[in-house]
Amino acid sequence: ALLVLLAAAALVGWRWLPAGPSVAARPYVLVLPFGVASGAVEEWGPYVDQATRGVIGHLRKISGLQVVPTPSAFAFRGRKARDHIRAQLPDVRFVLDGEVSVAGPRQLRVAVVLEDLHNGQLLWSHDLPVRTDEAGSLAVQATIARGVSRALRVAIPADEGRSLDDLPTTNLLAYERYVAGRHALGQMTHESVRQAIAHFDAAIALDPAFFAAFVARSDAYRQLFAVFEPPAQMLQAVVDSLSEAQQLQPDSAELWSSLGLTYVMAWRWKDAWIALNAAKRRDQTLAQTELGLGLYYSAIGEAALARRALEAANRLDPLNPELADWGQWALFMVGEHEAARAWGEQKMRQHPDAGLVFSGAGVGAFLAGDPARGVSLAQQGARLDRSPLALILLAQAYGAAGQGDKVRPLLQEADGAGTYTCPYESAAAWITVGERERALALLEDAVAKRSNCLIFLRNDPRLRPLHDDPRFAALLARVGLDDVALRSYKR
């Protein structure tokens, strides 16, 4: 099996560099995506990425550290210049970087360095020889975490120390399939997500106690549910996968958080509230929980609470691409136009290649009364991402700007792509050219498919032309966002 995160404790060698100044409580650490020596990227890239995730996960177990979560950390792949890091994450002080090289048959070498970003001083370095056929040497994750902790003078409580020593699995073949699944999931295409699920299933079959594989499989199902397939077909698969994982660790905040966000997107409002609050009681550092709460509050029209939750999520995971997209939608749907504009401007700077972030900002712009800017941003989004959704959002921008002749061709192109798209967004586009009946039919289709876009049904200003139709009131009731249902939800 080809494994990166392997090193026997007997092979550990420490090299301490000159001590820096006394470190304040909760040092803020960024783990950069580890590099791979030239010529080994294709073979070892997936394992090196998992090495980075593993180190981040272990460091986040240490309560005395504040560690940038994996989604934000991976935003620095290929962009490790220190000035760029300071610009993107000005509050981060310490950077851990690493490189993996091939040392021989079944042998790797992992070199890591810890740097003080304020003054460029190297605080600690470590060079680990790694054998790819020794399962016990997965303890390298704990080795690096303890080294960082010592360098930053952060004590590790006994219970956290024991947690660091937990191995994800002792089955090398299961770990190999898990790494392959993580790599496929990161490609974020419909086919790759399906491939990831197959890899995770294989890992679980080899080791039925492999908790991380259960979590990853649940994440993959949630991506199918949220992006690639009709949600009505996938909701139960997500819930079932999460429930299986909870059999292993019923108190996992990560699982409760994922379940809560899934329930929000499936407009199961009371279940969402219970799950998200269960997650927050267990761990208040998960951005996903705050995103779920932000969407929940936006759906029921609590603008101030939505803004507060999203601000918390942004502090916890500032470069998270899922948060970048959903956050601005949650804000402009409840009329927080200035906050949405500021959010969109920040996220477009942080994610200059994320087309749907630009497309969403375009929607926010025309809703705020600036249709010209809306068209410009939506055009940029469609240039970066020629997905059906980007085309539909560009059609909306043209319609809002009075360029109705451009709406139908774009919607036809999106329909011809042959992939699932949320009927709700197509309905919003047809409204701009006065096609009310077609829009209502698409909203009915969205309800039948349990589309996640419907979380905004009550407050979406794009749908106001339909508010006087009794069929719209019936749709609100089916989604659980009518006046009677709303009074029963917790704030």
Side-chain angles (χ1 to χ4, degrees):
L2 306 178
L3 305 173
V4 165
L5 295 178
L6 307 174
L11 296 175
V12 171
W14 300 86
R15 181 162 70 87
W16 294 92
L17 295 156
S22 179
V23 175
R26 300 259 303 160
Y28 198 4
V29 181
L30 166 66
V31 181
L32 293 170
F34 288 1
V36 188
S38 177
V41 174
E42 183 174 347
E43 180 179 5
W44 294 104
Y47 296 91
V48 173
D49 284 348
Q50 187 53 39
T52 305
R53 295 187 196 98
V55 171
I56 292 171
H58 272 63
L59 287 170
R60 285 178 64 83
K61 294 179 180 181
I62 302 173
S63 59
L65 294 174
Q66 182 181 1
V67 182
V68 176
T70 299
S72 287
F74 271 76
F76 294 98
R77 183 196 296 278
R79 301 192 67 187
K80 296 185 178 183
R82 298 317 188 235
D83 286 345
H84 177 63
I85 295 171
R86 293 187 190 97
Q88 295 284 66
L89 298 177
D91 295 332
V92 165
R93 179 170 178 182
F94 303 101
V95 173
L96 179 73
D97 200 0
E99 182 170 86
V100 176
S101 57
V102 179
R106 296 187 303 234
Q107 296 180 39
L108 301 175
R109 187 164 293 278
V110 180
V112 293
V113 294
L114 180 68
E115 175 186 340
D116 186 331
L117 197 58
H118 285 188
N119 55 28
Q121 184 178 12
L122 293 179
L123 301 179
W124 172 70
S125 73
H126 194 19
D127 195 348
L128 302 102
V130 174
R131 287 198 60 86
T132 64
D133 54 358
E134 296 180 0
S137 53
L138 281 164
V140 66
Q141 300 176 10
T143 298
I144 294 175
R146 287 192 171 94
V148 171
S149 179
R150 290 179 188 178
L152 298 179
R153 305 175 188 177
V154 171
I156 303 176
D159 60 334
E160 293 175 7
R162 289 190 294 271
S163 178
L164 290 179
D165 290 330
D166 292 339
L167 298 179
T169 182
T170 57
N171 187 312
L172 297 184
L173 291 177
Y175 194 77
E176 183 177 346
R177 296 303 295 269
Y178 172 72
V179 170
R182 276 292 186 189
H183 178 67
L185 184 57
Q187 304 307 302
M188 274 303 292
T189 67
H190 192 180
E191 181 181 0
S192 72
V193 174
R194 276 292 179 188
Q195 290 172 348
I197 291 171
H199 285 301
F200 297 139
D201 281 338
I204 291 166
L206 290 164
D207 181 359
F210 194 171
F211 178 70
F214 279 95
V215 174
R217 186 183 67 177
S218 301
D219 288 343
Y221 273 122
R222 191 169 68 80
Q223 289 302 326
L224 290 181
F225 164 81
V227 179
F228 295 110
E229 298 188 16
Q233 297 177 14
M234 296 308 307
L235 176 59
Q236 196 58 47
V238 180
V239 173
D240 288 347
S241 185
L242 289 166
S243 297
E244 286 187 61
Q246 286 183 317
Q247 296 298 313
L248 296 175
Q249 293 191 23
D251 284 334
S252 168
E254 184 179 5
L255 293 179
W256 280 109
S257 179
S258 185
L259 189 60
L261 182 56
T262 299
Y263 281 148
V264 168
M265 292 186 173
W267 18 284
R268 288 173 55 171
W269 307 111
K270 293 181 179 179
D271 291 334
W273 178 262
I274 291 169
L276 290 170
N277 281 276
K280 195 163 184 175
R281 285 193 300 272
R282 290 163 172 79
D283 185 347
Q284 297 189 24
T285 70
L286 297 179
Q288 180 175 256
T289 303
E290 298 296 344
L291 172 59
L293 288 168
L295 293 173
Y296 173 91
Y297 288 131
S298 178
I300 65 175
E302 294 284 352
L305 292 174
R307 188 175 64 248
R308 186 185 309 166
L310 292 168
E311 288 169 352
N314 201 41
R315 286 193 299 272
L316 292 167
D317 200 355
L319 303 179
N320 184 312
E322 184 178 29
L323 175 62
D325 188 27
W326 279 107
Q328 65 178 336
W329 284 88
L331 289 168
F332 61 62
M333 285 297 174
V334 287
E336 290 283 337
H337 294 302
E338 287 305 314
R341 184 183 180 107
W343 182 286
E345 293 289 350
Q346 180 189 56
K347 298 310 175 186
M348 287 185 289
R349 289 194 302 271
Q350 292 173 338
H351 303 279
D353 299 323
L356 289 179
V357 172
F358 286 81
S359 299
V363 176
F366 72 68
L367 288 178
D370 192 347
R373 183 170 181 268
V375 168
S376 176
L377 290 171
Q379 287 173 334
Q380 176 68 0
R383 281 193 292 269
L384 292 167
D385 179 352
R386 199 70 180 175
S387 67
L389 180 56
L391 297 177
I392 292 168
L393 298 181
L394 178 56
Q396 291 180 23
Y398 280 134
Q403 302 178 50
D405 58 310
K406 298 179 179 178
V407 172
R408 286 176 175 80
L410 285 168
L411 294 178
Q412 290 169 357
E413 183 180 347
D415 287 342
T419 60
Y420 169 76
T421 56
C422 179
Y424 180 102
E425 291 300 334
S426 295
W430 284 112
I431 288 172
T432 66
V433 290
E435 292 276 1
R436 285 170 48 106
E437 289 300 316
R438 187 172 232 165
L440 282 163
L442 284 165
L443 291 177
E444 289 281 356
D445 187 30
V447 172
K449 291 176 177 174
R450 212 168 186 88
S451 295
N452 56 27
C453 311
L454 286 157
I455 64 176
F456 299 125
L457 183 68
R458 180 181 178 88
N459 302 304
D460 190 340
R462 297 172 299 175
L463 305 184
R464 283 177 188 153
L466 306 180
H467 284 193
D468 61 351
D469 193 303
R471 289 171 292 179
F472 185 80
L475 288 171
L476 279 179
R478 291 168 64 188
V479 178
L481 290 175
D482 57 296
D483 292 343
V484 174
L486 221 63
R487 287 193 289 270
S488 70
Y489 300 149
K490 293 184 179 180
R491 271 68 171 171

